[in-house]
Amino acid sequence: MDTIPFLELNLLDIRENQITQLYKFSKDNFDIENILTTASELKYTNEIINFLKVQWDNPSEDFITFILANVYTGKKTKQVIEKFSVLVKKSLNQFVNDMLNDKLQAAISNTNSEIEKEQEVASTKEQDTVEEAQVVTTEEEIEGYATVKIIVSDQVDPDRIFYRDNLSYCNVLLDDNIRKWICRLGFNGSNKYIQFNDEDKTNVYIENLSDILNHKERLKNVVKKFI
């Protein structure tokens, strides 16, 4: 065993990463090979962290020389190292501050984005609620829906046919799925029409509800592509 522990924790101030490591010691997860690997990794991780803490507070000559090797092309004399000592410490602080600011800005941006999405969803729901309150399903629309339901009943179970009304028209749907709309009954204006969900989204004007019966084949062909 090493004389230095590979994991230390304060029960009054336990960090999340420590909980993850402790979890490996639980009875159901205990694996000696995994523990040995973890112990080795933690040992060196702690040493690296302690080293960085020391360099953060008081950068050593070797540490400053290491940094200068990548940024300073002149001769690394003692005077130069002393000169850069303060600059290195300042740069380290600036580096961490920039990273924290970037993460903070990213978090704020994500939060704002989530808030905007929530507001958009809330606005859409509110708009839908207002629209639903204004929608009035007329007797003609109910009769038109019932007519379509009867026409296609020899192809699908009538219980699979639904209607969903809105301000502009009444959808007749298969399986109550808006993507499987069979036709749209536009009976709210003076010019009544029925639109079919075929390749051309054919729109046909009608005078009477009984005119729907003239388009049996169109309706059956639409239903056929969904079954």
PDB file of all heavy atoms in Angstrom, residues 89-106:
ATOM      1  N   LYS A  89       1.751  34.384 -14.282  1.00  0.00           N
ATOM      2  CA  LYS A  89       0.678  34.278 -13.295  1.00  0.00           C
ATOM      3  C   LYS A  89      -0.558  35.040 -13.753  1.00  0.00           C
ATOM      4  O   LYS A  89      -1.700  34.565 -13.615  1.00  0.00           O
ATOM      5  CB  LYS A  89       1.176  34.821 -11.957  1.00  0.00           C
ATOM      6  CG  LYS A  89       0.222  34.571 -10.808  1.00  0.00           C
ATOM      7  CD  LYS A  89       0.845  34.953  -9.484  1.00  0.00           C
ATOM      8  CE  LYS A  89      -0.104  34.652  -8.341  1.00  0.00           C
ATOM      9  NZ  LYS A  89       0.497  34.989  -7.025  1.00  0.00           N
ATOM     10  N   LYS A  90      -0.351  36.206 -14.330  1.00  0.00           N
ATOM     11  CA  LYS A  90      -1.462  37.004 -14.844  1.00  0.00           C
ATOM     12  C   LYS A  90      -2.168  36.285 -15.994  1.00  0.00           C
ATOM     13  O   LYS A  90      -3.396  36.296 -16.097  1.00  0.00           O
ATOM     14  CB  LYS A  90      -0.929  38.363 -15.310  1.00  0.00           C
ATOM     15  CG  LYS A  90      -2.004  39.306 -15.832  1.00  0.00           C
ATOM     16  CD  LYS A  90      -1.386  40.638 -16.247  1.00  0.00           C
ATOM     17  CE  LYS A  90      -2.455  41.584 -16.791  1.00  0.00           C
ATOM     18  NZ  LYS A  90      -1.864  42.879 -17.212  1.00  0.00           N
ATOM     19  N   SER A  91      -1.381  35.648 -16.847  1.00  0.00           N
ATOM     20  CA  SER A  91      -1.942  34.929 -17.999  1.00  0.00           C
ATOM     21  C   SER A  91      -2.772  33.732 -17.549  1.00  0.00           C
ATOM     22  O   SER A  91      -3.825  33.437 -18.136  1.00  0.00           O
ATOM     23  CB  SER A  91      -0.819  34.456 -18.928  1.00  0.00           C
ATOM     24  OG  SER A  91      -0.089  35.556 -19.428  1.00  0.00           O
ATOM     25  N   LEU A  92      -2.287  33.039 -16.503  1.00  0.00           N
ATOM     26  CA  LEU A  92      -3.033  31.895 -15.981  1.00  0.00           C
ATOM     27  C   LEU A  92      -4.395  32.340 -15.461  1.00  0.00           C
ATOM     28  O   LEU A  92      -5.420  31.698 -15.726  1.00  0.00           O
ATOM     29  CB  LEU A  92      -2.240  31.211 -14.868  1.00  0.00           C
ATOM     30  CG  LEU A  92      -0.986  30.431 -15.295  1.00  0.00           C
ATOM     31  CD1 LEU A  92      -0.215  29.944 -14.076  1.00  0.00           C
ATOM     32  CD2 LEU A  92      -1.357  29.249 -16.180  1.00  0.00           C
ATOM     33  N   ASN A  93      -4.411  33.433 -14.729  1.00  0.00           N
ATOM     34  CA  ASN A  93      -5.674  33.964 -14.216  1.00  0.00           C
ATOM     35  C   ASN A  93      -6.602  34.386 -15.342  1.00  0.00           C
ATOM     36  O   ASN A  93      -7.808  34.115 -15.311  1.00  0.00           O
ATOM     37  CB  ASN A  93      -5.402  35.166 -13.300  1.00  0.00           C
ATOM     38  CG  ASN A  93      -4.969  34.748 -11.910  1.00  0.00           C
ATOM     39  OD1 ASN A  93      -5.755  34.240 -11.126  1.00  0.00           O
ATOM     40  ND2 ASN A  93      -3.704  34.959 -11.609  1.00  0.00           N
ATOM     41  N   GLN A  94      -6.030  35.039 -16.358  1.00  0.00           N
ATOM     42  CA  GLN A  94      -6.834  35.478 -17.496  1.00  0.00           C
ATOM     43  C   GLN A  94      -7.409  34.295 -18.257  1.00  0.00           C
ATOM     44  O   GLN A  94      -8.567  34.303 -18.683  1.00  0.00           O
ATOM     45  CB  GLN A  94      -5.976  36.329 -18.445  1.00  0.00           C
ATOM     46  CG  GLN A  94      -6.749  36.932 -19.603  1.00  0.00           C
ATOM     47  CD  GLN A  94      -7.798  37.920 -19.133  1.00  0.00           C
ATOM     48  OE1 GLN A  94      -7.493  38.819 -18.353  1.00  0.00           O
ATOM     49  NE2 GLN A  94      -9.034  37.750 -19.590  1.00  0.00           N
ATOM     50  N   PHE A  95      -6.596  33.232 -18.393  1.00  0.00           N
ATOM     51  CA  PHE A  95      -7.020  32.019 -19.102  1.00  0.00           C
ATOM     52  C   PHE A  95      -8.231  31.388 -18.412  1.00  0.00           C
ATOM     53  O   PHE A  95      -9.234  31.051 -19.051  1.00  0.00           O
ATOM     54  CB  PHE A  95      -5.856  31.030 -19.159  1.00  0.00           C
ATOM     55  CG  PHE A  95      -6.236  29.667 -19.652  1.00  0.00           C
ATOM     56  CD1 PHE A  95      -6.571  29.457 -20.988  1.00  0.00           C
ATOM     57  CD2 PHE A  95      -6.264  28.580 -18.790  1.00  0.00           C
ATOM     58  CE1 PHE A  95      -6.921  28.197 -21.450  1.00  0.00           C
ATOM     59  CE2 PHE A  95      -6.617  27.326 -19.251  1.00  0.00           C
ATOM     60  CZ  PHE A  95      -6.946  27.123 -20.581  1.00  0.00           C
ATOM     61  N   VAL A  96      -8.130  31.221 -17.079  1.00  0.00           N
ATOM     62  CA  VAL A  96      -9.233  30.611 -16.332  1.00  0.00           C
ATOM     63  C   VAL A  96     -10.471  31.500 -16.363  1.00  0.00           C
ATOM     64  O   VAL A  96     -11.599  31.028 -16.529  1.00  0.00           O
ATOM     65  CB  VAL A  96      -8.796  30.328 -14.876  1.00  0.00           C
ATOM     66  CG1 VAL A  96      -9.997  29.866 -14.046  1.00  0.00           C
ATOM     67  CG2 VAL A  96      -7.708  29.275 -14.854  1.00  0.00           C
ATOM     68  N   ASN A  97     -10.258  32.808 -16.212  1.00  0.00           N
ATOM     69  CA  ASN A  97     -11.401  33.730 -16.255  1.00  0.00           C
ATOM     70  C   ASN A  97     -12.116  33.684 -17.595  1.00  0.00           C
ATOM     71  O   ASN A  97     -13.355  33.711 -17.661  1.00  0.00           O
ATOM     72  CB  ASN A  97     -10.931  35.163 -15.974  1.00  0.00           C
ATOM     73  CG  ASN A  97     -10.575  35.385 -14.519  1.00  0.00           C
ATOM     74  OD1 ASN A  97     -11.074  34.677 -13.652  1.00  0.00           O
ATOM     75  ND2 ASN A  97      -9.707  36.355 -14.252  1.00  0.00           N
ATOM     76  N   ASP A  98     -11.333  33.608 -18.670  1.00  0.00           N
ATOM     77  CA  ASP A  98     -11.925  33.530 -20.012  1.00  0.00           C
ATOM     78  C   ASP A  98     -12.734  32.248 -20.172  1.00  0.00           C
ATOM     79  O   ASP A  98     -13.824  32.244 -20.761  1.00  0.00           O
ATOM     80  CB  ASP A  98     -10.828  33.598 -21.082  1.00  0.00           C
ATOM     81  CG  ASP A  98     -10.230  34.987 -21.203  1.00  0.00           C
ATOM     82  OD1 ASP A  98     -10.839  35.938 -20.681  1.00  0.00           O
ATOM     83  OD2 ASP A  98      -9.149  35.124 -21.822  1.00  0.00           O
ATOM     84  N   MET A  99     -12.184  31.133 -19.660  1.00  0.00           N
ATOM     85  CA  MET A  99     -12.894  29.851 -19.752  1.00  0.00           C
ATOM     86  C   MET A  99     -14.207  29.908 -18.975  1.00  0.00           C
ATOM     87  O   MET A  99     -15.253  29.443 -19.454  1.00  0.00           O
ATOM     88  CB  MET A  99     -12.017  28.725 -19.207  1.00  0.00           C
ATOM     89  CG  MET A  99     -10.868  28.313 -20.119  1.00  0.00           C
ATOM     90  SD  MET A  99     -10.005  26.845 -19.509  1.00  0.00           S
ATOM     91  CE  MET A  99     -11.317  25.628 -19.602  1.00  0.00           C
ATOM     92  N   LEU A 100     -14.143  30.484 -17.758  1.00  0.00           N
ATOM     93  CA  LEU A 100     -15.356  30.596 -16.946  1.00  0.00           C
ATOM     94  C   LEU A 100     -16.392  31.489 -17.615  1.00  0.00           C
ATOM     95  O   LEU A 100     -17.586  31.184 -17.618  1.00  0.00           O
ATOM     96  CB  LEU A 100     -15.003  31.152 -15.564  1.00  0.00           C
ATOM     97  CG  LEU A 100     -14.203  30.219 -14.642  1.00  0.00           C
ATOM     98  CD1 LEU A 100     -13.815  30.942 -13.359  1.00  0.00           C
ATOM     99  CD2 LEU A 100     -15.007  28.967 -14.310  1.00  0.00           C
ATOM    100  N   ASN A 101     -15.915  32.599 -18.197  1.00  0.00           N
ATOM    101  CA  ASN A 101     -16.832  33.506 -18.889  1.00  0.00           C
ATOM    102  C   ASN A 101     -17.478  32.841 -20.092  1.00  0.00           C
ATOM    103  O   ASN A 101     -18.672  33.024 -20.356  1.00  0.00           O
ATOM    104  CB  ASN A 101     -16.087  34.772 -19.334  1.00  0.00           C
ATOM    105  CG  ASN A 101     -15.791  35.710 -18.183  1.00  0.00           C
ATOM    106  OD1 ASN A 101     -16.521  35.714 -17.200  1.00  0.00           O
ATOM    107  ND2 ASN A 101     -14.725  36.495 -18.293  1.00  0.00           N
ATOM    108  N   ASP A 102     -16.666  32.067 -20.853  1.00  0.00           N
ATOM    109  CA  ASP A 102     -17.206  31.365 -22.021  1.00  0.00           C
ATOM    110  C   ASP A 102     -18.285  30.372 -21.600  1.00  0.00           C
ATOM    111  O   ASP A 102     -19.336  30.272 -22.241  1.00  0.00           O
ATOM    112  CB  ASP A 102     -16.082  30.626 -22.761  1.00  0.00           C
ATOM    113  CG  ASP A 102     -15.151  31.582 -23.490  1.00  0.00           C
ATOM    114  OD1 ASP A 102     -15.539  32.750 -23.676  1.00  0.00           O
ATOM    115  OD2 ASP A 102     -14.037  31.164 -23.864  1.00  0.00           O
ATOM    116  N   LYS A 103     -18.009  29.628 -20.516  1.00  0.00           N
ATOM    117  CA  LYS A 103     -18.987  28.652 -20.045  1.00  0.00           C
ATOM    118  C   LYS A 103     -20.232  29.348 -19.510  1.00  0.00           C
ATOM    119  O   LYS A 103     -21.356  28.875 -19.712  1.00  0.00           O
ATOM    120  CB  LYS A 103     -18.371  27.766 -18.958  1.00  0.00           C
ATOM    121  CG  LYS A 103     -17.331  26.793 -19.491  1.00  0.00           C
ATOM    122  CD  LYS A 103     -16.892  25.795 -18.432  1.00  0.00           C
ATOM    123  CE  LYS A 103     -15.947  24.774 -19.031  1.00  0.00           C
ATOM    124  NZ  LYS A 103     -15.533  23.736 -18.053  1.00  0.00           N
ATOM    125  N   LEU A 104     -20.020  30.488 -18.834  1.00  0.00           N
ATOM    126  CA  LEU A 104     -21.146  31.241 -18.304  1.00  0.00           C
ATOM    127  C   LEU A 104     -22.022  31.776 -19.434  1.00  0.00           C
ATOM    128  O   LEU A 104     -23.248  31.672 -19.387  1.00  0.00           O
ATOM    129  CB  LEU A 104     -20.635  32.389 -17.435  1.00  0.00           C
ATOM    130  CG  LEU A 104     -21.705  33.284 -16.793  1.00  0.00           C
ATOM    131  CD1 LEU A 104     -22.591  32.458 -15.867  1.00  0.00           C
ATOM    132  CD2 LEU A 104     -21.057  34.416 -16.023  1.00  0.00           C
ATOM    133  N   GLN A 105     -21.376  32.325 -20.462  1.00  0.00           N
ATOM    134  CA  GLN A 105     -22.119  32.850 -21.609  1.00  0.00           C
ATOM    135  C   GLN A 105     -22.870  31.733 -22.327  1.00  0.00           C
ATOM    136  O   GLN A 105     -24.009  31.916 -22.775  1.00  0.00           O
ATOM    137  CB  GLN A 105     -21.162  33.546 -22.582  1.00  0.00           C
ATOM    138  CG  GLN A 105     -20.587  34.853 -22.063  1.00  0.00           C
ATOM    139  CD  GLN A 105     -21.673  35.870 -21.738  1.00  0.00           C
ATOM    140  OE1 GLN A 105     -22.676  35.984 -22.435  1.00  0.00           O
ATOM    141  NE2 GLN A 105     -21.469  36.604 -20.648  1.00  0.00           N
ATOM    142  N   ALA A 106     -22.210  30.552 -22.443  1.00  0.00           N
ATOM    143  CA  ALA A 106     -22.852  29.404 -23.090  1.00  0.00           C
ATOM    144  C   ALA A 106     -24.073  28.964 -22.285  1.00  0.00           C
ATOM    145  O   ALA A 106     -25.124  28.657 -22.848  1.00  0.00           O
ATOM    146  CB  ALA A 106     -21.866  28.252 -23.234  1.00  0.00           C
TER     147      ALA A 106
END
